[in-house]
Amino acid sequence: LAKTTQPISMDSYEGQEVNITCSHNNIATNDYITWYQQFPSQGPRFIIQGYKTKVTNEVASLFIPADRKSSTLSLPRVSLSDTAVYYCLVGPAVDSSYKLIFGSGTRLLVRP
Amino acid sequence: EPEVTQTPSHQVTQMGQEVILRCVPISNHLYFYWYRQILGQKVEFLVSFYNNEISEKSEIFDDQFSVERPDGSNFTLKIRSTKLEDSAMYFCASDGLKETQYFGPGTRLLVL
């Protein structure tokens, strides 16, 4: 499984856009990039998943450059409730079962 | 939106006692997982389960641990003789292929 590197923590203010970048230099051809969010004392929650280019849903956007060695999770106009730990995971194709390997994640603090 | 449920939400037990943590995965899902998270640490994979047998297990999942799907809906994790270091949040997850994993809210286990 490809190793990922992301910032330990980030601070932001309400209403700002937050971009969290993840490096995954050893990503394999059949790997997808998935981001999870975790609030204290809760289970991780799926945010978004992509393979290449850009993916957008109602919560976030995921930007993946052509070489796929990094990806950026973009949270538009964050609110206090977006304070959480965000995990970038890289793993096999979405149609195969696999264990998720979580790193330390990025602890995002949104201030008023 | 369908969700994974877990019971109990909290469990306190004495060292050496057996505990059973219960999970009800999303109904049409086929793959089931247990993860744990020791306070302040990463989410760690324990075991995956498919077609009534273990698909993969981690080094943490030793002989003290077992999993079972006793009926069509429940998925259980048993710890035969708990140790202090088993204190953690235990998360159940499920996926139905073609999707990512959905996590339950967790069971906080405290071993005294």
Side-chain angles (χ1 to χ4, degrees):
Chain A
L1 294 169
K3 181 173 159 42
T4 60
T5 303
Q6 51 184 124
I8 294 172
S9 64
M10 294 181 71
D11 279 17
S12 183
Y13 291 91
E14 278 191 294
Q16 289 190 333
E17 178 184 79
V18 170
N19 296 307
I20 306 174
T21 297
C22 178
S23 297
H24 28 80
N25 290 318
N26 297 321
I27 190 168
T29 305
N30 65 340
D31 282 345
Y32 277 68
I33 299 150
T34 309
W35 286 80
Y36 279 82
Q37 173 193 58
Q38 187 182 27
F39 298 114
S41 299
Q42 294 188 29
R45 186 174 77 102
F46 169 81
I47 301 175
I48 198 165
Q49 184 176 69
Y51 184 79
K52 62 180 179 181
T53 63
K54 177 184 173 183
V55 180
T56 297
N57 62 22
E58 62 277 6
V59 175
S61 294
L62 179 58
F63 299 91
I64 306 168
D67 66 6
R68 303 199 331 122
K69 292 185 184 302
S70 66
S71 58
T72 299
L73 174 73
S74 181
L75 305 172
R77 295 181 300 283
V78 293
S79 62
L80 297 178
S81 62
D82 292 315
T83 293
V85 180
Y86 292 82
Y87 300 98
C88 165
L89 289 86
V90 172
V94 68
D95 61 351
S96 64
S97 173
Y98 60 94
K99 62 187 178 190
L100 296 178
I101 305 295
F102 287 84
S104 301
T106 296
R107 193 171 296 275
L108 173 66
L109 174 62
V110 180
R111 302 177 187 273
Chain B
E1 182 181 311
E3 57 183 21
V4 175
T5 59
Q6 290 184 242
T7 54
S9 57
H10 295 77
Q11 173 117 27
V12 181
T13 190
Q14 295 290 324
M15 192 169 56
Q17 294 296 304
E18 175 184 284
V19 294
I20 298 176
L21 310 183
R22 292 182 167 79
C23 168
V24 178
I26 294 173
S27 64
N28 60 346
H29 282 186
L30 302 173
Y31 286 83
F32 314 112
Y33 310 82
W34 284 99
Y35 294 81
R36 80 170 186 192
Q37 187 174 31
I38 294 171
L39 186 63
Q41 297 188 24
K42 300 176 188 178
V43 177
E44 301 174 289
F45 167 78
L46 291 178
V47 65
S48 59
F49 190 87
Y50 170 71
N51 201 25
N52 283 320
E53 59 183 29
I54 290 174
S55 309
E56 186 174 359
K57 58 184 180 179
S58 72
E59 291 176 354
I60 302 167
F61 195 88
D62 61 22
D63 292 344
Q64 293 300 311
F65 291 87
S66 62
V67 290
E68 194 178 32
R69 190 155 159 82
D71 53 43
S73 59
N74 290 287
F75 179 50
T76 62
L77 174 70
K78 182 193 292 187
I79 309 175
R80 249 179 286 283
S81 177
T82 50
K83 308 186 194 70
L84 297 177
E85 54 264 36
D86 294 327
S87 295
M89 282 287 283
Y90 287 82
F91 297 110
C92 172
S94 70
D95 79 59
L97 299 185
K98 306 295 183 188
E99 333 179 25
T100 191
Q101 292 177 30
Y102 293 88
F103 284 74
T107 293
R108 183 179 296 281
L109 176 65
L110 178 61
V111 182
L112 301 176

